[in-house]
């Protein structure tokens, strides 16, 4: 999985959106970003971003919806 992630290129704005959503998500749940759970949600956030959820708010909504399923 790391090899696939290494081949993905992000622009600065992409990173800002992903980081903002991830920081907000982890803060809401009191999860450390560098924990196993934090890394897992980062992977999910990247997948959701590539699926078209490309704003911080849209990503957070998608993460909340995913959590409910």
């Amino acid at each position: 999985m790391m090899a696939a992630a290494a081949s993905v290129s992000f622009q600065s704005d992409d990173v800002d959106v992903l980081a903002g959503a991830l920081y907000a998500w982890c803060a809401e749940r009191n999860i450390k970003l560098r924990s196993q759970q934090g890394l897992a949600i980062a992977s999910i956030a990247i997948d959701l971003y590539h699926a078209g959820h490309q704003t911080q708010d849209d990503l957070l909504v998608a993460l909340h919806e995913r959590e409910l399923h």
Side-chain angles (χ1 to χ4, degrees):
M1 183 164 176
M2 289 300 279
S7 67
V8 175
S9 177
F10 289 104
Q11 299 297 319
S12 177
D13 290 344
D14 300 330
V15 173
D16 290 344
V17 168
L18 283 163
L22 187 57
Y23 291 144
W25 177 265
C26 288
E28 287 175 8
R29 286 155 183 75
N30 200 24
I31 296 169
K32 292 184 180 187
L33 190 57
R34 293 186 182 213
S35 69
Q36 194 77 6
Q37 195 174 9
L39 294 173
I41 201 66
S43 178
I44 292 168
I46 290 169
D47 290 344
L48 290 169
Y49 185 85
H50 286 299
H53 304 280
Q54 297 189 340
T55 67
Q56 184 173 332
D57 289 340
D58 195 25
L59 259 177
L60 285 170
V61 168
L63 286 168
H64 284 284
E65 289 174 353
R66 179 135 183 180
E67 182 179 47
L68 297 174
H69 296 297

